[in-house]
Amino acid sequence: MSANWVALAYLVASVFFILALKGLSSPESARRGNLFGMIGMLIAVATTLTLTQNWTLILGAIAVGGVIGAIVAQRVQMTAMPELVAFMHSLVGLAAVFIAVAAVNNPVSFGLPEVLPAGSKLELFLGTFIGAMTWSGSVIAFLKLSGRMSGTPVVFTGQHAINLLLAIAMVGFGLWFFFTETTNWTAFIAMTAIAFILGFLIIIPIGGADMPVVISMLNSYSGWAAAGIGFSLGNPMLIIAGSLVGSSGAILSYIMCKAMNRPFLSVILGGFGSDGGVAVADSGVQKTHRSGSADDAAFLMGNADSVIIVPGYGLAVARAQHAVKELAEKLHEKGVNVRFAIHPVAGRMPGHMNVLLAEAEIPYEQVLEMEEINSDFSNTDVVLVLGANDVVNPAANVPGSPIYGMPILDAHKARTVMVVKRSMAVGYAGLDNDLFYMDKTMMIFGDAKKVVENLVKAL
């Protein structure tokens, strides 16, 4: 294929990638967006294959990766989607490192001069250290999200100073590699090794409350790593695709930080949030809560005019989305107006709750974002909170609270609130929730799926 046809094919693939992002901006067009993304990737891969003679090795690698991907896609649970995304980010970063190592080892095979020019060295330096940090950071995120590692922040004395020294050392070795005329493997290997270590150290102090931001941040890093390597290889497809992923991930990180009222830098510095169950200091005030049964809740919901359901990670863990759909249908049959309120950081990744509800085929028009529905809580008869905690915590309105200023769903303004939880344990932020102790609140303890199924039976 001539250079002009290659450039045209890559341009067409790029347009499909842009259309994919556009489609993914709404649940209603997400399937179409995924289809556009697959078509774009097929064009990009097919075009790249025309530029190589080593078909056997490449097709063999594609076959192995395709089989693994197909098996994982069939077996993965929707609740495990966040850690799967983190794991995929790690592979993108590692691929960038491998390509950089190969380019430094044999630049001629990549169409580069035998003695790497300064520009190529800079691009390889950026692609390598971003890719290495993406890989190691994503591995930690995967371990925390999957429960293989505690989500509690890992902090120690002098942590930030050590990270700063390592970052300076990494840049120092990178400059040594950059200014050495011949290939300086010592500097390159040292730089790469420090980047791997730095990725681990940056993510370990970040707790469960900030994991949604971490996922989108690592997504951004993987894109910039691919773009950096794309410049080195002179591959416009890698540059465009990497830039799209990098910029969209950065924008999403900003949206997540805004949703939690947390500066991006404070997320990176870490130390906030833990994996549910870490209690805050006891205030010494004895609090009492009111508990009830599924029958009590069904009576209140069945006689209400309007019900808002707030899904949280507890719903995902219990895999209760299909039972919730049946509950909503039963309420609709009784003439109740049912809607779902989605907080931007509910669950463990951006859009987690939207994906779960879409899997259960709950109509999109019933699923509303926080900005769309928050003003309606004060006019709502019943709010049913399923496994959510920090995103409905009124402490966000109290000056001095660790989550003060964080936008929340105003569930506490409804006439009646019902909260389904396994226990009174605190959420990721480690804060008690005053909503649970209000006179208007009724706690229903148990597995979310079983409780909702009992609600359906009672209705």
Side-chain angles (χ1 to χ4, degrees):
M1 186 182 287
S2 68
N4 288 338
W5 281 107
V6 170
L8 179 61
Y10 281 158
L11 180 61
V12 172
S14 300
V15 171
F16 273 108
F17 289 151
I18 294 170
L19 291 173
L21 284 178
K22 175 64 176 175
L24 292 171
S25 65
S26 168
E28 296 181 62
S29 57
R31 288 182 182 273
R32 184 171 68 250
N34 267 319
L35 179 61
F36 283 147
M38 288 188 283
I39 293 173
M41 186 56 70
L42 179 62
I43 294 172
V45 171
T47 303
T48 304
L49 285 175
T50 65
L51 304 177
T52 182
Q53 303 298 321
N54 201 343
W55 284 70
T56 304
L57 184 61
I58 292 178
L59 291 177
I62 290 175
V64 172
V67 169
I68 294 173
I71 293 173
V72 171
Q74 289 294 326
R75 293 184 177 180
V76 68
Q77 298 291 334
M78 293 303 295
T79 51
M81 198 58 67
E83 53 260 42
L84 178 65
V85 171
F87 183 71
M88 299 241 178
H89 292 164
S90 74
L91 296 180
V92 176
L94 194 60
V97 174
F98 283 156
I99 293 172
V101 170
V104 172
N105 181 61
N106 189 1
V108 177
S109 64
F110 288 89
L112 300 171
E114 188 171 350
V115 177
L116 287 169
S120 296
K121 284 185 176 181
L122 178 62
E123 292 154 4
L124 288 169
F125 163 61
L126 292 173
T128 303
F129 91 76
I130 295 174
M133 290 176 63
T134 300
W135 180 81
S136 52
S138 297
V139 167
I140 294 297
F142 167 78
L143 293 174
K144 286 194 173 192
L145 289 167
S146 63
R148 293 173 172 85
M149 177 180 178
S150 172
T152 305
V154 178
V155 294
F156 51 86
T157 305
Q159 188 170 39
H160 298 318
I162 291 173
N163 288 350
L164 179 61
L165 289 174
L166 285 174
I168 293 172
M170 181 184 70
V171 173
F173 281 114
L175 292 173
W176 186 19
F177 169 73
F178 178 78
F179 286 110
T180 305
E181 291 187 9
T182 57
T183 302
N184 190 335
W185 277 106
T186 301
F188 184 80
I189 292 173
M191 172 199 75
T192 306
I194 293 173
F196 278 125
I197 296 171
L198 200 55
F200 283 120
L201 293 178
I202 286 176
I203 303 301
I204 59 172
I206 302 177
D210 287 328
M211 269 303 140
V213 181
V214 172
I215 293 175
S216 57
M217 177 189 72
L218 291 171
N219 178 48
S220 179
Y221 287 178
S222 68
W224 298 127
I229 296 301
F231 278 106
S232 300
L233 304 183
N235 189 310
M237 187 72 265
L238 265 180
I239 296 171
I240 294 171
S243 299
L244 288 172
V245 173
S247 57
S248 60
I251 292 169
L252 189 58
S253 297
Y254 169 77
I255 293 172
M256 293 296 105
C257 287
K258 187 177 179 182
M260 296 191 298
N261 195 38
R262 303 254 294 136
F264 182 73
L265 184 60
S266 69
V267 174
I268 300 304
L269 293 177
F272 174 75
S274 58
D275 200 15
V278 180
V280 293
D282 189 356
S283 63
V285 178
Q286 186 67 32
K287 296 181 178 180
T288 59
H289 63 270
R290 182 166 61 97
S291 60
S293 66
D295 288 338
D296 299 328
F299 176 79
L300 291 171
M301 295 175 75
N303 288 281
D305 290 325
S306 58
V307 170
I308 294 178
I309 299 175
V310 179
Y313 188 65
L315 176 142
V317 171
R319 302 173 191 171
Q321 58 268 35
H322 295 284
V324 168
K325 180 192 178 183
E326 190 176 357
L327 172 64
E329 289 175 342
K330 292 292 183 184
L331 289 171
H332 274 298
E333 290 173 6
K334 290 181 172 289
V336 181
N337 179 26
V338 181
R339 289 171 297 168
F340 294 81
I342 307 296
H343 192 279
V345 295
R348 288 193 173 182
M349 68 178 290
H352 195 180
M353 297 299 105
N354 302 74
V355 172
L356 288 173
L357 298 181
E359 185 201 17
E361 298 184 348
I362 291 172
Y364 299 127
E365 59 271 15
Q366 294 179 18
V367 182
L368 303 175
E369 301 297 328
M370 180 175 65
E371 294 81 5
E372 300 175 284
I373 199 169
N374 241 5
S375 60
D376 293 348
F377 278 102
S378 57
N379 299 316
T380 300
D381 294 321
V382 177
V383 168
L384 178 64
V385 180
L386 293 170
N389 197 325
D390 299 322
V391 298
V392 292
N393 193 340
N397 301 320
V398 179
S401 166
I403 61 170
Y404 174 63
M406 171 181 167
I408 60 168
L409 291 166
D410 293 331
H412 60 284
K413 293 183 178 180
R415 297 183 182 93
T416 301
V417 181
M418 297 184 294
V419 181
V420 178
K421 279 175 63 70
R422 291 178 181 272
S423 68
M424 293 295 290
V426 296
Y428 286 158
L431 299 174
D432 207 358
N433 193 335
D434 289 337
L435 175 68
F436 302 160
Y437 305 101
M438 289 183 172
D439 293 336
K440 65 172 68 176
T441 302
M442 180 172 69
M443 303 297 298
I444 308 170
F445 297 110
D447 175 83
K449 184 177 181 181
K450 292 180 180 178
V451 170
V452 174
E453 288 175 344
N454 288 336
L455 282 171
V456 173
K457 290 178 184 178
L459 283 169

